[in-house]
């Protein structure tokens, strides 16, 4: 909050060359505020600012920066500063940066680390990409059940400095196998002379290092924790994952789902740092698939070429009709994909959804059908573009709309269930995919209704 | 995790009437596990289970239940149990439930509360809907700066029981004005004899009770905290908001954005608990707006009626052409809306985006144009549906596709910026809205290209 308000004052300090005050500000402000200030300054000014900071403050600020700025600084700072920076930042942040660098750049940075830090960094990079192991830090407070509360408090005071979180304390046996996790609240509320074995309940939830990141979000959401322990296959405590990392993953998942709903492959990187060619490729794949599917509309239209030749007026409403089916399908698909993602609706609820969507589709279809008919009736009062059979044309458009909106709604609502049932990602049922599916059938519905109603008059 | 695995065993216990073991399971499991079990059981079984629990366990389990189950239990439990339940659950959870009930039901429940709890509940309901005030709990550990660390630890041990979180301690002056917040880590790492005034840095971030909930997400994301203090306009400490509530709000925001992108008003309630009529209304509004906009396609098509009469073959490609514009626009809009929401791209970056999207649009348009032309050339080898001028028709389709995909991409990418610039919600630029905008112009582009290329032959 501070960063934005004081920008003019800071610019003035830079202009007047008052380095001492600047240095004090940069070292005293909270890292988040400094980053907000950095966002408003140029890359060169950021670099100068970073150089003015003390080691720990520099590391905290660095952790808050976006990936692009981090990479820029790692490239621009002298090797000595990069070394101390990398040694100082949190393990999970370091892993996250290293995994995104090129092999050669990664090698260069790894050689700058101290032996101990390099061993840690390399052990993390051994876990699969997108696994919980890449998110964790090994620095936790692990204590034995036969300790007293006072012993734990003394231990934390002496050895807790490096721990990523002190909100939870982990109880292990002599083989470092996890026995329980205790929120700090339980320790703080207990008598100092109590033994941990008296307050622990062996009731804990742990993540496996090889589990996918996305699972961690589910567990955090379900268990309202601020930190979760990570264990290996033998149940040995490896480290901890904190909730701040998990919020980022939840956002990433939502972004990926949105992008799939928008009809493209998930980028998995911020828009502005995705290479142009990668982005075009990820968009082209789906665009081409949809285009190939949509070609069936040309085939369907060709099938009704005779009817169009006889009554060109029918062609005029084709875009209106098929887009209404696509729009209603897009609404239904979005609702169901998100409801499935949040667990509001489960696979076995498909029939409940089906019934609701039949009613919604009918109501929405009748609304649009009525408006469509009225528009044709209204236009006829001052133009004769729809000819003498305007009433029948209006009827054709109105009735087709009811059918097409109902069909679009049901297709959009049921496709996510079908995909999930088949073990695929429901978010693949994007607005464009549903629209494409509905377009072809929409044309068939429209021209069939037209043939039924207009036979003997226009057709 | 436990809940799902042990379901058969629990069913057996219910069948055999072994109440004692059931009671023990229900009271010993973690609340999240019990809720998972409840999800798989019927409402009646849940009710029977809740009745077997001790007061505190019942309250914790209740807090984890979804709103629908909570309301059901409040209606089904005897008044005595409702009273003790409401008195026991966390303040923010109670506020959240009360604010969703009807006036009469709310009144009934408020009279069941103890005087103290009713006063708290009513004071929360005075804050505006969707404000930070509705999220908070007043139970925090507030201490004075002249206390020592040991004094704080003793104070927590005696009075911390009711506090929502012990991960942060709040320092106030004699007027209860907030001076600083200290993570418990700082207290635990300090010497017991140190005074708080020596370790505090007056550097804190607080939420205002009247601020909108959504702002809280931003602040949490920016400052990596697990809890934030809430103050009134005078800076007096009112309570605390914890991060578990904020994850829910972040999910709600993402849901609302997705639903807007899908072309409907945000539901603000889970799919299965939104009344059918409300849902139809929220979908109908946009569907009708889009339909009215899409009517312009009929006007545009009418404008080119003569051309269609002369060359019906042109009409065959109308759905294919306009849907390609819509799909590419939907991709671009989704990317930019999400990038703006996450702050990856800011208003002032519009030109960077514009340049990238010009290149993307051209590349994607050329890809589709080439495929479109090839399809017409290929079909011509075994049918004569496209007539003797198939080459010119193919050229018309191909060139139109380049123009329309480029235009769709740019419209989809720039509309969110325009909306944001006007102070509107960028997420309003839904896939269907962009498609509708692009459809009309797409038709004009297509028929203009056709007139240029086919004049003298087909037209």
């Amino acid at each position: 909050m501070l960063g934005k308000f004081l920008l003019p004052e800071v610019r003035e300090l830079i202009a007047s060359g008052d380095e001492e005050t600047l240095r004090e500000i940069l070292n005293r402000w909270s890292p988040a505020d400094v980053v907000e200030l950095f966002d408003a300054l140029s890359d060169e000014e950021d670099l100068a600012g970073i150089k003015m900071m003390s080691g720990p403050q520099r590391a905290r600020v660095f952790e808050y920066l976006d990936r692009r700025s981090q990479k820029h600084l790692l490239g621009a700072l002298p090797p000595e500063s990069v070394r101390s920076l990398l040694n100082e930042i949190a393990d999970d942040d370091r892993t996250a940066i290293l995994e995104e660098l090129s092999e050669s750049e990664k090698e260069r940075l790894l050689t700058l680390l101290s032996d101990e830090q390099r061993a840690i960094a390399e052990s993390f990079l051994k876990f699969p990409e997108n696994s919980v192991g890449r998110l964790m830090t090994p620095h936790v407070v692990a204590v034995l059940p036969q300790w007293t509360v006072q012993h734990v408090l003394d231990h934390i005071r002496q050895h807790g400095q490096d721990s990523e979180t002190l909100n939870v304390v982990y109880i292990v046996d002599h083989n470092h196998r996890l026995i329980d996790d205790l929120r700090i609240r339980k320790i703080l509320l207990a008598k100092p002379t109590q033994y941990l074995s008296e307050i622990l309940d062996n009731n804990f939830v742990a993540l496996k290092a090889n589990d996918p990141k996305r699972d961690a979000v589910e567990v955090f959401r379900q268990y309202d924790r601020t930190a979760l322990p990570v264990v290996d296959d033998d149940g040995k405590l490896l480290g901890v994952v904190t909730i701040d990392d998990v919020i980022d993953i939840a956002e990433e998942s939502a972004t990926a789902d949105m992008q799939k709903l928008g009809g493209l492959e998930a980028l998995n990187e911020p828009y502005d740092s995705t290479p142009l060619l990668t982005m075009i490729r990820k968009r082209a794949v789906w665009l081409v698939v949809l285009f190939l599917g949509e070609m069936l509309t040309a085939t369907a239209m060709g099938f009704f070429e005779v009817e169009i030749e006889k009554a060109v007026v029918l062609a005029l409403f084709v875009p209106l009709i098929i887009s209404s089916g696509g729009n209603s399908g897009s609404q239904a698909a979005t609702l169901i994909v998100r409801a499935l993602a949040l667990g509001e609706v489960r696979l076995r609820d498909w029939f409940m959804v089906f019934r609701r969507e039949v009613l919604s589709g009918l109501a929405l279809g009748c609304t649009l059908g009525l408006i469509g008919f009225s528009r044709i009736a209204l236009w006829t009062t001052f133009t004769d573009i729809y000819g003498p059979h305007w009433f029948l044309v209006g009827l054709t458009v109105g009735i087709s709309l009811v059918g097409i909106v109902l069909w679009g709604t049901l297709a959009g609502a049921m496709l996510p269930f079908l995909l999930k049932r088949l073990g695929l990602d429901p978010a693949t049922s994007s607005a464009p995919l549903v629209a494409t599916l509905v377009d072809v059938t929409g044309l068939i519905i429209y021209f069939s209704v037209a043939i039924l109603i207009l036979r003997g008059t226009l057709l």
Side-chain angles (χ1 to χ4, degrees), chain A residues 384-436:
Chain A
D384 57 357
I385 185 172
Y386 303 131
H389 297 295
W390 66 268
F391 184 83
L392 292 179
V393 171
L395 216 57
T396 303
V397 169
I399 293 177
S400 303
L401 279 170
V402 178
I404 284 163
V405 170
L406 175 61
W407 164 243
T409 304
L410 288 180
M414 291 299 115
L415 186 63
F417 282 105
L418 183 68
L419 290 171
K420 191 167 173 145
R421 183 71 192 72
L422 296 174
L424 302 170
D425 183 353
T428 314
S429 41
S430 61
L433 178 62
V434 171
T436 301

Side-chain angles (χ1 to χ4, degrees), chain A residues 216-345:
Chain A
V217 182
E218 272 315 302
V219 180
F220 268 102
R221 196 184 291 153
Q222 203 178 349
Y223 289 88
D224 280 2
R225 298 288 165 103
T226 58
L228 282 173
V230 182
V231 296
D232 66 11
D233 289 332
D234 296 331
K236 279 189 189 157
L237 181 64
L238 296 176
V240 68
V241 172
T242 49
I243 197 166
D244 51 313
D245 303 316
V246 168
I247 291 192
D248 295 339
I249 299 166
E251 299 265 32
E252 282 168 23
S253 305
T255 305
D257 277 358
M258 269 188 217
Q259 290 173 346
K260 285 181 205 154
L261 276 173
L264 69 155
E265 273 186 72
L267 290 189
N268 297 329
E269 274 178 276
Y271 175 85
D272 56 323
S273 50
T274 309
L276 191 59
L277 278 181
T278 310
M279 196 177 67
I280 291 178
R281 191 173 46 70
K282 293 204 166 188
R283 289 157 75 161
V285 172
W286 265 108
L287 218 49
V288 168
V289 169
L290 294 171
F291 188 75
L292 294 177
E294 194 73 34
M295 276 186 180
L296 288 174
T297 58
T299 312
M301 293 282 284
F303 194 74
F304 297 109
E305 204 176 356
V306 183
E307 282 76 19
I308 300 174
E309 245 165 55
K310 280 198 214 157
V312 171
V313 66
L314 285 181
L316 307 191
F317 296 103
V318 164
L320 179 64
I321 297 259
I322 63 175
S323 71
S324 301
N327 289 345
S328 47
S330 153
Q331 290 189 335
T334 307
L335 280 175
I336 302 305
V337 166
R338 187 62 176 163
L340 280 171
L342 294 180
E344 294 168 4
V345 159

Side-chain angles (χ1 to χ4, degrees), chain A residues 76-92:
Chain A
L77 282 170
E80 205 42 56
S81 307
V82 173
R83 181 202 313 271
S84 72
L85 190 60
L86 284 178
N87 280 322
E88 186 107 29
I89 59 174
D91 302 301
D92 49 346

